[in-house]
Amino acid sequence: QITLKESGPTLMKPTQTLTLTCTFSGFSLTTGGVGVGWIRQPPGKALQWLALIYWDDDARYSPSLKTRLTVTKDTSKNLVVLTMTNMDPLDTATYYCAHTMGSGPFDSWGQGTLVTVSS
Amino acid sequence: SYELTQPPSLSVSPGQTASITCSGDKLGSKNAAWYQQKPGQSPVLVIYQDSKRPSGIPERFSGSNSGDTATLTISGAQAMDEADYYCQTWDIGTEWVFGGGTKLTVL
């Protein structure tokens, strides 16, 4: 059974850097084809893909946010870390991490964590 | 950048068939997936590779994809199917893309 869980700050100030951690179980990020992605959802709005890291350290980023995002992994601890710089109130959203294979769909999701950006 | 367009809302009566569309340029040449999201919950994958159902998803959920349109069909919609539904595909330039979501009301 695959499980994922996001953790990180719930409240941030504008210009700060967000660091979110996704801790997972039920799969290994050393298995070929496996990836962990990050998706966010502003309150009342649609899902937006942010970033993804593959088993081989190949990292992909949303073109609209790539200058602000970094995704890394620690396979020994079964975790993936997303950093987003220069946070803005418009970045207020629930942030999810999710499992995928290749360029496939996200078949397992974490519970999400709400991050609020306010001065 | 690649975009997917969904109708904002759809309303059906219990037992009716709900068809939710998702439009994108040559979407039929890509793999489409669908997610169900109930209030306060994480998205759940209900259809992948256009028409396949993950384990545990009821048979009343089906999908198709041709031309510029993918369609999620819920045959005999139930009150428990009331949720937001998002389509998603993968494009070489934009990578993972989600539609804007469709709020399905069953009443």
Side-chain angles (χ1 to χ4, degrees), chain A residues 41 54 60 96 104 106 110, chain B residues 35 37 42-43 86 95-96 98:
Chain A
Q41 185 174 37
Y54 282 114
R60 309 292 180 88
Y96 298 96
F106 296 105
Chain B
Y35 302 87
Q37 186 180 34
S42 302
Y86 293 91
E95 311 248 30
W96 288 265
F98 289 94

Side-chain angles (χ1 to χ4, degrees), chain B residues 9-71:
Chain B
S9 62
L10 177 67
S11 182
V12 299
S13 299
Q16 283 192 325
T17 295
S19 295
I20 301 173
T21 59
C22 173
S23 299
D25 185 47
K26 299 181 179 66
L27 180 56
S29 65
K30 310 176 191 297
N31 285 321
W34 291 89
Y35 302 87
Q36 175 194 69
Q37 186 180 34
K38 297 182 179 180
Q41 298 184 19
S42 302
V44 173
L45 179 68
V46 294
I47 293 289
Y48 68 101
Q49 289 182 17
D50 299 338
S51 60
K52 296 181 179 179
R53 280 180 291 106
S55 174
I57 300 301
E59 291 184 8
R60 63 180 181 274
F61 288 86
S62 62
S64 63
N65 186 15
S66 179
D68 292 338
T69 305
T71 303

Side-chain angles (χ1 to χ4, degrees), chain A residues 27-44:
Chain A
F27 67 94
S28 174
L29 249 183
T30 61
T31 301
V34 173
V36 172
W38 288 92
I39 303 100
R40 73 178 178 180
Q41 185 174 37

Side-chain angles (χ1 to χ4, degrees), chain A residues 14-47:
Chain A
T15 75
Q16 288 184 325
T17 294
L18 171 67
T19 299
L20 291 174
T21 300
C22 174
T23 305
F24 58 85
S25 64
F27 67 94
S28 174
L29 249 183
T30 61
T31 301
V34 173
V36 172
W38 288 92
I39 303 100
R40 73 178 178 180
Q41 185 174 37
K45 296 191 177 182
L47 301 167

